[in-house]
Amino acid sequence: MGVDEQRVPGGGWPRPVVPRIGARVSYALHHLLAAKPAYRRLGAWLERRRPAYRWFTWAERVTKEQLYGCRMCGQCALPDTGYTCPMTCPKQLRNGPCGGVSAEGRCEVHPELVCVWVTAIERAQDAGHGADLDLLQRPVDHREWDRSSWVNYWQGRDDGLGIAPSEDDPRPLLRRELGLRPR
Ligand code: SF4
């Protein structure tokens, strides 16, 4: 298979997507879908019934693809990224931007498009959630692709996806996660 024919999880090569729905509305919708016992039971029921789970996952895919360019990584970072999907970054960075973003905030791979992370920071800040971008996002678990991130979230599997800075430990998050001490 040639490089041009290769496919990455989520189908096709990722391109930066500007969400079709505002961040404030998205944060409000999140409250409706916030994990609660009834949703946890629904998620458990769906996982026991594969046809229902497939339909539910399909509905999630269609909805989030239209609104955010979702690629169904199954571990949704949207609430921490101003409701901008990090998997539409051509490098699929969960913590960005990379060093290639231009001074005008353009993507290095698609210079005609705005960097996903610039969009994320602007949307989060506009909605009063700028501090969310201080979280360190864990690497993607590739076994979760094409699974429902809503069900995963309701089942508590997303707990700890974003790691908060610690007031007790001033080391940069990545260094703290790796257990490194400054020289
Ligand atoms: S589930 Fe993954 S691919 Fe889909 S919007 Fe969330 S972060 Fe992006």
Side-chain angles (χ1 to χ4, degrees):
M1 181 185 290
V3 169
D4 289 345
E5 298 163 289
Q6 287 177 12
R7 288 289 175 267
V8 293
W13 297 105
R15 288 170 64 85
V17 168
V18 176
R20 292 199 174 93
I21 179 173
R24 284 177 193 280
V25 180
S26 301
Y27 287 112
L29 287 174
H30 181 78
H31 283 297
L32 291 177
L33 291 171
K36 45 177 81 92
Y39 287 149
R40 192 163 300 127
R41 284 195 293 275
L42 171 63
W45 183 85
L46 287 167
E47 288 189 321
R48 287 196 302 274
R49 288 166 177 78
R50 301 311 293 176
Y53 182 86
R54 277 197 293 276
W55 275 104
F56 186 83
T57 306
W58 174 83
E60 175 182 335
R61 178 191 299 274
V62 170
T63 307
K64 288 172 64 181
E65 202 172 77
Q66 288 299 314
L67 296 179
Y68 306 106
C70 173
R71 302 172 59 77
M72 295 300 283
C73 75
Q75 305 130 88
C76 199
L78 287 178
D80 294 337
T81 56
Y83 282 86
T84 308
C85 174
M87 307 316 284
T88 66
C89 162
K91 300 176 187 180
Q92 302 204 317
L93 296 182
R94 296 288 275 204
N95 297 278
C98 72
V101 60
S102 75
E104 295 77 36
R106 299 277 162 179
C107 172
E108 181 181 29
V109 180
H110 298 286
E112 72 282 12
L113 301 173
V114 176
C115 166
V116 167
W117 286 97
V118 171
T119 303
I121 291 164
E122 288 178 345
R123 280 168 59 90
Q125 284 180 340
D126 285 351
H129 285 258
D132 292 350
L133 273 297
D134 290 341
L135 297 175
L136 177 68
Q137 297 296 323
R138 288 191 186 281
V140 172
D141 180 344
H142 290 286
R143 293 169 296 187
E144 295 298 325
W145 280 96
D146 292 325
R147 295 184 59 81
S148 166
S149 72
W150 288 341
V151 170
N152 281 344
Y153 164 61
W154 292 334
Q155 301 307 98
R157 297 182 190 125
D158 282 358
D159 292 350
L161 212 54
I163 308 155
S166 163
E167 286 181 6
D168 304 330
D169 189 339
R171 282 178 294 170
L173 274 170
L174 189 57
R175 195 175 284 167
R176 180 151 59 86
E177 275 296 293
L178 295 174
L180 300 176
R181 295 260 154 222
R183 294 183 192 204

